[in-house]
Coordinates of all heavy atoms in Angstrom, one line a residue:
M1 N 57.4 93.4 66.7 CA 58.7 92.9 66.8 C 58.5 91.5 67.1 O 58.0 91.2 68.0 CB 59.6 93.5 67.7 CG 60.0 94.9 67.2 SD 61.3 95.6 68.3 CE 62.8 95.0 67.8
S2 N 59.3 90.6 66.5 CA 59.2 89.1 66.8 C 60.4 88.9 67.6 O 61.3 89.6 68.0 CB 59.3 88.3 65.4 OG 60.5 88.4 64.9
W3 N 60.4 87.5 68.2 CA 61.5 87.1 69.1 C 62.9 87.1 68.4 O 63.8 87.3 69.0 CB 61.2 85.8 69.7 CG 61.3 84.6 68.7 CD1 60.0 84.3 67.9 CD2 62.3 83.9 68.4 NE1 60.5 83.2 67.1 CE2 61.8 82.8 67.3 CE3 63.6 83.8 68.8 CZ2 62.6 81.8 66.8 CZ3 64.3 82.7 68.3 CH2 64.0 81.9 67.3
V4 N 62.9 87.0 67.1 CA 64.1 87.1 66.3 C 64.9 88.4 66.4 O 65.9 88.5 66.4 CB 63.8 86.7 64.9 CG1 65.1 86.7 64.0 CG2 63.2 85.2 64.9
D5 N 63.9 89.4 66.5 CA 64.5 90.8 66.5 C 65.0 91.1 68.0 O 65.9 91.9 68.1 CB 63.4 91.8 66.2 CG 63.1 91.7 64.8 OD1 63.9 91.3 63.9 OD2 61.8 92.0 64.4
W6 N 64.4 90.5 69.0 CA 64.8 90.7 70.4 C 66.2 89.9 70.8 O 66.8 90.4 71.7 CB 63.8 90.3 71.3 CG 62.7 91.3 71.3 CD1 61.4 91.3 70.7 CD2 62.8 92.6 72.0 NE1 60.7 92.4 70.9 CE2 61.5 93.1 71.7 CE3 63.6 93.2 72.9 CZ2 61.2 94.5 72.3 CZ3 63.3 94.4 73.4 CH2 62.1 95.1 73.1
V7 N 66.4 88.8 70.1 CA 67.6 88.1 70.6 C 68.9 88.7 70.5 O 69.6 88.7 71.5 CB 67.5 86.5 69.7 CG1 68.9 85.9 69.9 CG2 66.4 85.8 70.0
P8 N 69.1 89.5 69.5 CA 70.5 90.2 69.4 C 70.6 91.3 70.5 O 71.6 91.4 71.1 CB 70.5 90.9 68.1 CG 69.6 90.1 67.2 CD 68.6 89.5 68.1
I9 N 69.4 91.9 70.8 CA 69.3 92.9 71.8 C 69.6 92.4 73.1 O 70.5 92.9 74.0 CB 68.1 93.8 71.8 CG1 68.0 94.5 70.4 CG2 68.0 94.7 72.9 CD1 66.6 95.1 70.1
V10 N 69.0 91.2 73.4 CA 69.2 90.5 74.8 C 70.6 90.1 74.9 O 71.2 90.2 75.9 CB 68.1 89.4 74.8 CG1 68.5 88.5 76.1 CG2 66.8 89.9 74.9
A11 N 71.2 89.5 73.8 CA 72.6 88.9 73.8 C 73.5 90.0 74.0 O 74.5 89.8 74.8 CB 72.8 88.2 72.6
L12 N 73.4 91.2 73.4 CA 74.2 92.3 73.6 C 74.1 92.7 75.1 O 75.3 93.2 75.7 CB 73.8 93.3 72.6 CG 74.7 94.8 72.7 CD1 76.1 94.5 72.3 CD2 74.1 95.8 71.9
S13 N 72.9 92.9 75.6 CA 72.8 93.3 76.9 C 73.6 92.4 78.0 O 74.2 92.8 78.8 CB 71.4 93.3 77.3 OG 70.6 94.4 76.5
L14 N 73.4 91.0 77.6 CA 74.1 90.1 78.6 C 75.6 90.2 78.4 O 76.2 90.0 79.4 CB 73.5 88.7 78.2 CG 72.2 88.3 78.7 CD1 71.6 87.0 78.1 CD2 71.9 88.5 80.2
N15 N 76.0 90.3 77.2 CA 77.5 90.5 77.0 C 78.1 91.8 77.7 O 79.1 91.6 78.2 CB 77.8 90.5 75.4 CG 77.7 89.1 74.8 OD1 77.9 88.1 75.6 ND2 77.4 89.1 73.5
V16 N 77.2 92.8 77.7 CA 77.8 94.0 78.3 C 77.9 93.8 79.8 O 78.7 94.2 80.6 CB 76.9 95.2 78.0 CG1 77.1 96.5 78.9 CG2 77.0 95.6 76.5
L17 N 76.8 93.2 80.4 CA 76.8 92.9 81.9 C 77.9 91.8 82.1 O 78.6 92.1 83.2 CB 75.4 92.2 82.2 CG 74.2 93.2 82.3 CD1 73.0 92.4 82.5 CD2 74.5 94.2 83.3
A18 N 78.2 90.8 81.4 CA 79.3 90.0 81.6 C 80.6 90.7 81.4 O 81.5 90.5 82.3 CB 79.3 88.8 80.6
L19 N 80.8 91.5 80.6 CA 82.0 92.3 80.5 C 82.2 93.3 81.8 O 83.4 93.3 82.3 CB 82.0 93.2 79.1 CG 83.2 94.0 78.9 CD1 84.4 93.1 78.7 CD2 83.1 94.9 77.7
A20 N 81.2 93.8 82.3 CA 81.2 94.7 83.4 C 81.6 93.8 84.6 O 82.4 94.2 85.5 CB 79.9 95.4 83.7
F21 N 81.0 92.5 84.7 CA 81.3 91.6 85.8 C 82.9 91.2 85.7 O 83.5 91.2 86.7 CB 80.4 90.5 85.7 CG 80.7 89.4 86.8 CD1 80.2 89.8 88.1 CD2 81.2 88.3 86.5 CE1 80.4 88.8 89.2 CE2 81.4 87.3 87.6 CZ 80.9 87.7 88.8
V22 N 83.4 90.9 84.6 CA 84.8 90.5 84.3 C 85.6 91.7 84.8 O 86.8 91.5 85.4 CB 85.1 90.0 83.0 CG1 86.5 89.9 82.7 CG2 84.3 88.7 82.8
G23 N 85.3 92.9 84.3 CA 86.1 94.1 84.8 C 86.1 94.3 86.3 O 87.1 94.6 86.9
Y24 N 84.9 94.1 86.9 CA 85.0 94.2 88.5 C 85.8 93.1 89.1 O 86.5 93.3 90.1 CB 83.6 94.1 88.8 CG 83.4 94.3 90.5 CD1 83.7 95.5 91.0 CD2 82.9 93.2 91.1 CE1 83.5 95.7 92.4 CE2 82.8 93.4 92.6 CZ 83.1 94.7 93.1 OH 83.0 94.8 94.5
Q25 N 85.7 91.9 88.5 CA 86.6 90.8 89.1 C 88.1 91.1 89.0 O 88.8 90.8 89.8 CB 86.3 89.6 88.4 CG 85.1 88.8 88.8 CD 84.8 87.5 88.1 OE1 85.1 87.3 87.0 NE2 84.2 86.6 88.8
T26 N 88.5 91.7 87.8 CA 89.8 92.1 87.6 C 90.2 93.2 88.6 O 91.4 93.1 89.1 CB 89.9 92.6 86.1 OG1 89.6 91.7 85.2 CG2 91.4 93.0 85.9
Y27 N 89.3 94.2 88.9 CA 89.7 95.1 89.8 C 89.9 94.4 91.3 O 90.8 94.9 91.8 CB 88.5 96.1 89.9 CG 88.5 97.0 91.1 CD1 89.5 98.2 91.1 CD2 87.7 96.9 92.2 CE1 89.4 99.1 92.1 CE2 87.7 97.8 93.1 CZ 88.6 98.8 93.2 OH 88.6 99.7 94.3
L28 N 89.0 93.5 91.7 CA 89.2 92.7 92.9 C 90.4 92.0 92.9 O 91.1 91.9 94.0 CB 87.9 92.0 93.3 CG 86.7 92.7 93.4 CD1 85.5 91.7 93.6 CD2 86.8 93.7 94.6
S29 N 90.8 91.4 91.8 CA 91.9 90.5 91.8 C 93.2 91.3 92.1 O 94.2 91.0 92.7 CB 92.0 89.8 90.5 OG 91.0 88.8 90.5
R30 N 93.3 92.6 91.5 CA 94.4 93.4 91.5 C 94.4 94.0 92.9 O 95.7 94.0 93.5 CB 94.2 94.6 90.6 CG 95.5 95.5 90.5 CD 95.4 96.6 89.4 NE 95.4 96.0 88.1 CZ 94.7 96.3 87.1 NH1 93.8 97.3 87.1 NH2 94.7 95.6 85.9
N31 N 93.5 94.4 93.6 CA 93.5 94.8 95.0 C 93.9 93.6 95.9 O 94.7 93.8 96.8 CB 92.1 95.2 95.4 CG 91.8 96.5 94.8 OD1 92.6 97.3 94.3 ND2 90.6 96.9 95.0
S32 N 93.5 92.4 95.6 CA 93.9 91.2 96.4 C 95.4 90.9 96.2 O 96.1 90.6 97.1 CB 93.1 90.0 95.9 OG 93.5 88.8 96.6
L33 N 95.9 91.1 95.0 CA 97.3 90.9 94.7 C 98.1 91.9 95.4 O 99.2 91.5 96.0 CB 97.5 91.0 93.3 CG 99.0 90.7 92.8 CD1 99.5 89.4 93.2 CD2 99.1 91.0 91.3
D34 N 97.7 93.2 95.5 CA 98.4 94.2 96.2 C 98.4 94.0 97.7 O 99.4 94.1 98.3 CB 97.9 95.5 96.0 CG 98.0 96.0 94.6 OD1 99.0 95.6 93.8 OD2 97.3 96.9 94.1
A35 N 97.4 93.5 98.2 CA 97.3 93.2 99.6 C 98.2 91.9 100.0 O 98.8 91.9 101.0 CB 96.0 92.8 100.0
A36 N 98.2 90.9 99.1 CA 99.0 89.8 99.4 C 100.6 90.2 99.3 O 101.4 89.6 100.1 CB 98.8 88.7 98.3
K37 N 100.9 91.1 98.4 CA 102.3 91.6 98.3 C 102.7 92.2 99.5 O 103.8 92.0 100.1 CB 102.4 92.5 97.1 CG 102.6 91.9 95.7 CD 102.8 92.9 94.7 CE 102.8 92.4 93.3 NZ 103.0 93.4 92.3
Q38 N 101.8 93.1 100.2 CA 102.2 93.9 101.4 C 102.3 92.7 102.6 O 103.2 92.8 103.3 CB 101.0 94.7 101.7 CG 101.1 95.9 100.8 CD 99.9 96.9 101.0 OE1 99.0 96.5 101.9 NE2 99.8 98.0 100.4
V39 N 101.5 91.7 102.5 CA 101.6 90.7 103.6 C 102.9 89.9 103.5 O 103.6 89.6 104.4 CB 100.3 89.6 103.6 CG1 100.6 88.5 104.4 CG2 99.2 90.5 104.1
I40 N 103.3 89.6 102.3 CA 104.5 88.8 102.0 C 105.7 89.7 102.4 O 106.6 89.3 103.0 CB 104.6 88.3 100.5 CG1 103.5 87.2 100.3 CG2 106.0 87.9 100.2 CD1 103.4 86.9 98.8
D41 N 105.6 91.0 102.0 CA 106.8 91.9 102.4 C 106.9 92.0 104.0 O 108.1 92.1 104.5 CB 106.7 93.2 101.7 CG 106.9 93.2 100.2 OD1 107.5 92.3 99.7 OD2 106.4 94.1 99.4
G42 N 105.8 92.1 104.6 CA 105.7 92.2 106.0 C 106.3 91.0 106.6 O 107.1 91.0 107.6
A43 N 105.9 89.9 106.1 CA 106.5 88.6 106.7 C 108.0 88.4 106.4 O 108.7 88.0 107.3 CB 105.7 87.3 106.0
R44 N 108.4 88.8 105.3 CA 109.8 88.8 105.0 C 110.7 89.8 105.9 O 111.7 89.2 106.5 CB 110.0 89.2 103.5 CG 111.5 89.1 103.1 CD 111.7 89.5 101.6 NE 110.8 88.7 100.7 CZ 110.1 89.2 99.7 NH1 110.2 90.5 99.5 NH2 109.4 88.3 98.9
K45 N 110.1 90.9 106.2 CA 110.8 91.7 107.1 C 110.8 91.1 108.5 O 111.8 91.3 109.3 CB 110.0 93.2 107.1 CG 110.3 93.9 105.9 CD 109.6 95.3 105.9 CE 109.8 96.0 104.6 NZ 109.0 97.2 104.6
S46 N 109.7 90.5 108.9 CA 109.7 89.9 110.3 C 110.7 88.8 110.3 O 111.3 88.7 111.4 CB 108.2 89.4 110.4 OG 108.1 88.7 111.7
R47 N 110.8 88.0 109.4 CA 111.7 86.8 109.4 C 113.1 87.5 109.5 O 114.0 86.9 110.1 CB 111.5 85.9 108.3 CG 110.4 85.0 108.3 CD 110.5 83.9 107.2 NE 110.6 84.5 105.9 CZ 109.5 84.8 105.2 NH1 108.3 84.6 105.8 NH2 109.6 85.2 104.0
A48 N 113.4 88.5 108.8 CA 114.7 89.2 108.7 C 115.1 89.6 110.1 O 116.2 89.6 110.6 CB 114.7 90.2 107.6
L49 N 114.1 90.2 110.8 CA 114.3 90.7 112.2 C 114.5 89.6 113.1 O 115.3 89.7 114.1 CB 113.2 91.6 112.6 CG 113.1 92.9 111.9 CD1 111.8 93.7 112.4 CD2 114.2 93.8 112.2
E50 N 113.8 88.5 112.9 CA 113.9 87.4 113.8 C 115.4 86.7 113.9 O 115.9 86.2 114.8 CB 113.0 86.3 113.5 CG 111.4 86.7 114.0 CD 110.6 85.6 113.5 OE1 110.9 84.6 112.8 OE2 109.3 85.8 113.7
I51 N 116.0 86.7 112.5 CA 117.4 86.2 112.5 C 118.5 87.1 112.9 O 119.6 86.6 113.0 CB 117.7 85.6 111.1 CG1 117.7 86.7 110.1 CG2 116.6 84.5 110.7 CD1 118.1 86.2 108.6
L52 N 118.1 88.3 113.2 CA 119.3 89.3 113.9 C 119.7 88.7 115.2 O 118.9 88.1 115.9 CB 118.7 90.6 114.0 CG 118.4 91.4 112.6 CD1 117.9 92.7 112.9 CD2 119.7 91.6 111.8
P53 N 120.9 89.0 115.5 CA 121.3 88.7 117.0 C 120.5 89.2 118.0 O 120.0 90.3 117.8 CB 122.8 89.2 117.0 CG 123.1 89.5 115.4 CD 122.0 89.7 114.8
R54 N 120.3 88.6 119.1 CA 119.6 89.1 120.1 C 120.3 90.3 120.8 O 121.5 90.4 120.7 CB 119.4 88.0 121.2 CG 118.8 86.8 120.7 CD 117.2 87.1 120.5 NE 116.6 86.0 120.0 CZ 115.7 85.9 119.1 NH1 115.5 87.1 118.5 NH2 115.0 84.9 118.7
A55 N 119.5 91.0 121.4 CA 120.1 92.5 122.0 C 120.8 92.1 123.2 O 121.7 92.9 123.6 CB 119.0 93.4 122.4
N56 N 120.7 91.0 123.9 CA 121.5 90.6 125.1 C 122.9 90.1 124.8 O 123.5 89.7 125.6 CB 120.7 89.7 126.0 CG 120.2 88.4 125.4 OD1 120.5 88.2 124.1 ND2 119.7 87.5 126.1
W57 N 123.2 89.9 123.5 CA 124.6 89.6 123.2 C 125.4 90.8 123.0 O 125.0 91.6 122.1 CB 124.6 88.7 121.9 CG 124.2 87.2 122.3 CD1 122.9 86.9 122.2 CD2 124.9 86.1 122.5 NE1 122.9 85.5 122.4 CE2 124.1 85.0 122.7 CE3 126.4 85.9 122.7 CZ2 124.6 83.9 123.0 CZ3 126.8 84.8 122.9 CH2 125.9 83.7 123.2
V58 N 126.5 90.9 123.6 CA 127.4 92.1 123.4 C 128.8 91.6 123.2 O 129.1 90.4 123.5 CB 127.3 93.1 124.5 CG1 125.9 93.7 124.6 CG2 127.7 92.5 125.7
I59 N 129.6 92.3 122.6 CA 131.1 92.1 122.6 C 131.7 92.8 123.6 O 131.7 94.1 123.7 CB 131.5 92.6 121.1 CG1 130.9 91.7 120.1 CG2 133.1 92.3 121.2 CD1 131.3 92.0 118.6
E60 N 132.5 92.1 124.4 CA 133.3 92.8 125.5 C 134.6 93.0 125.1 O 135.2 92.1 124.4 CB 133.2 91.9 126.8 CG 131.8 91.8 127.5 CD 132.0 91.0 128.8 OE1 133.1 90.6 129.2 OE2 130.9 90.7 129.3
V61 N 135.1 94.2 125.4 CA 136.5 94.3 124.9 C 137.2 94.7 126.3 O 136.9 95.6 127.0 CB 136.4 95.7 124.0 CG1 138.0 96.0 123.8 CG2 135.8 95.3 122.7
H62 N 138.2 93.9 126.5 CA 139.0 94.1 127.8 C 140.4 94.7 127.2 O 141.1 94.1 126.5 CB 139.3 92.9 128.5 CG 138.0 92.2 129.0 ND1 137.3 92.7 130.1 CD2 137.3 91.2 128.5 CE1 136.2 92.0 130.2 NE2 136.2 91.0 129.4
S63 N 140.7 95.8 127.8 CA 142.0 96.4 127.5 C 142.8 96.5 128.7 O 142.3 96.8 129.8 CB 141.9 97.6 126.8 OG 141.2 97.5 125.6
H64 N 144.1 96.2 128.6 CA 144.9 96.5 129.7 C 146.1 97.3 129.2 O 146.8 96.9 128.2 CB 145.4 95.2 130.3 CG 146.4 95.3 131.4 ND1 145.9 95.7 132.7 CD2 147.7 95.0 131.5 CE1 147.1 95.9 133.5 NE2 148.0 95.5 132.8
L65 N 146.4 98.4 129.8 CA 147.4 99.3 129.4 C 148.5 99.1 130.6 O 148.3 99.5 131.8 CB 146.9 100.8 129.3 CG 148.0 101.7 129.0 CD1 148.6 101.5 127.6 CD2 147.4 103.1 128.9
N66 N 149.7 98.7 130.1 CA 150.8 98.7 131.1 C 151.7 99.8 130.9 O 152.4 99.9 129.7 CB 151.6 97.4 130.8 CG 152.7 97.1 131.9 OD1 152.9 98.0 132.7 ND2 153.2 95.9 131.8
V67 N 151.6 100.8 131.8 CA 152.2 102.0 131.6 C 153.7 102.0 131.7 O 154.5 102.6 130.9 CB 151.8 103.0 132.6 CG1 152.4 104.3 132.5 CG2 150.3 103.2 132.6
G68 N 154.2 101.0 132.5 CA 155.7 100.8 132.7 C 156.3 100.4 131.4 O 157.3 100.9 130.9
S69 N 155.9 99.5 130.6 CA 156.5 99.0 129.5 C 155.8 99.5 128.2 O 156.3 99.2 127.1 CB 156.4 97.5 129.5 OG 155.1 97.0 129.4
M70 N 154.8 100.2 128.3 CA 154.0 101.0 127.2 C 153.4 99.9 126.2 O 153.6 100.0 125.0 CB 155.0 101.9 126.3 CG 155.5 103.1 127.2 SD 154.2 104.0 127.9 CE 153.6 105.0 126.5
T71 N 153.0 98.8 126.7 CA 152.2 97.7 125.8 C 150.8 97.9 126.0 O 150.2 98.3 127.1 CB 152.7 96.4 126.2 OG1 152.4 96.1 127.6 CG2 154.3 96.2 126.1
L72 N 150.1 97.5 125.0 CA 148.7 97.5 125.1 C 148.3 96.1 124.6 O 148.6 95.6 123.6 CB 148.1 98.5 124.0 CG 146.6 98.6 123.9 CD1 146.0 99.2 125.1 CD2 146.2 99.6 122.8
S73 N 147.4 95.5 125.5 CA 147.0 94.2 125.2 C 145.5 94.2 125.4 O 145.0 95.0 126.1 CB 147.5 93.2 126.2 OG 147.1 93.3 127.5
G74 N 144.7 93.4 124.6 CA 143.3 93.3 124.7 C 142.8 92.2 124.2 O 143.5 91.3 123.5
S75 N 141.6 91.8 124.6 CA 140.8 90.6 124.1 C 139.4 90.9 123.9 O 138.8 91.8 124.5 CB 141.0 89.5 125.2 OG 140.2 89.8 126.3
R76 N 138.8 90.3 122.9 CA 137.5 90.3 122.6 C 136.8 89.0 122.8 O 137.3 88.0 122.4 CB 137.2 90.7 121.2 CG 137.6 92.1 120.8 CD 137.3 92.3 119.3 NE 137.7 93.5 118.8 CZ 137.6 93.8 117.6 NH1 137.3 93.0 116.7 NH2 138.0 95.1 117.2
S77 N 135.7 89.0 123.4 CA 134.9 87.7 123.5 C 133.4 88.1 123.6 O 133.0 89.0 124.3 CB 135.4 87.0 124.7 OG 135.0 87.8 125.9
P78 N 132.7 87.3 122.8 CA 131.2 87.6 123.0 C 130.7 87.0 124.3 O 131.2 85.9 124.7 CB 130.6 86.8 121.9 CG 131.6 85.9 121.5 CD 132.8 86.4 121.8
S79 N 129.8 87.6 125.0 CA 129.4 87.3 126.3 C 127.8 87.5 126.3 O 127.4 88.4 125.6 CB 130.0 87.7 127.5 OG 129.8 89.1 127.6
R80 N 127.2 86.9 127.2 CA 125.7 87.0 127.3 C 125.5 87.7 128.6 O 126.0 87.4 129.6 CB 125.0 85.5 127.4 CG 123.6 85.7 127.1 CD 123.1 84.1 127.1 NE 121.8 84.1 126.8 CZ 121.1 83.8 125.7 NH1 121.9 83.5 124.7 NH2 119.9 83.8 125.7
L81 N 124.7 88.8 128.6 CA 124.3 89.6 129.7 C 123.1 88.7 130.4 O 122.4 88.1 129.9 CB 123.7 90.9 129.2 CG 124.7 92.0 128.6 CD1 124.0 93.1 128.2 CD2 125.8 92.2 129.6
H82 N 123.2 88.8 131.7 CA 122.2 88.2 132.5 C 121.4 89.3 133.3 O 121.8 90.2 133.6 CB 122.9 87.2 133.5 CG 123.6 86.1 132.8 ND1 122.9 85.1 132.2 CD2 124.8 85.9 132.6 CE1 123.7 84.2 131.6 NE2 125.0 84.7 131.8

């Protein structure tokens, strides 16, 4: 066999190896994309939790019942616990 007969066999072998390499890169890229999506979702949830009101803020409700005149008065005001 001369070198002219070997060239297509070598080219086919290299093309199969290149195709396998590209397939592996695609697999790794897909895994990387999934990991990036999870990190972004986690960061989004973390930011959402950070903008929630703090636990030490409460709404105080003051009610006063005047039994003699049967009136009910109340007030609401946010206050900070210490």
Side-chain angles (χ1 to χ4, degrees):
M1 286 181 88
S2 69
W3 66 273
V4 176
D5 296 331
W6 283 100
V7 170
I9 295 171
V10 171
L12 179 65
S13 301
L14 291 176
N15 283 333
V16 168
L17 288 175
L19 183 62
F21 182 71
V22 169
Y24 184 65
Q25 283 182 327
T26 303
Y27 169 75
L28 291 178
S29 296
R30 186 172 295 141
N31 287 345
S32 176
L33 179 63
D34 290 339
K37 283 181 183 179
Q38 290 176 355
V39 168
I40 289 169
D41 289 341
R44 186 178 300 136
K45 288 178 185 176
S46 176
R47 282 192 304 273
L49 289 175
E50 287 175 359
I51 64 172
L52 287 176
R54 300 286 181 225
N56 56 355
W57 285 86
V58 296
I59 296 175
E60 289 184 9
V61 178
H62 298 285
S63 297
H64 178 69
L65 179 62
N66 189 348
V67 179
S69 63
M70 300 302 281
T71 61
L72 179 66
S73 64
S75 67
R76 292 182 179 169
S77 65
S79 69
R80 195 175 180 108
L81 294 178
H82 295 287

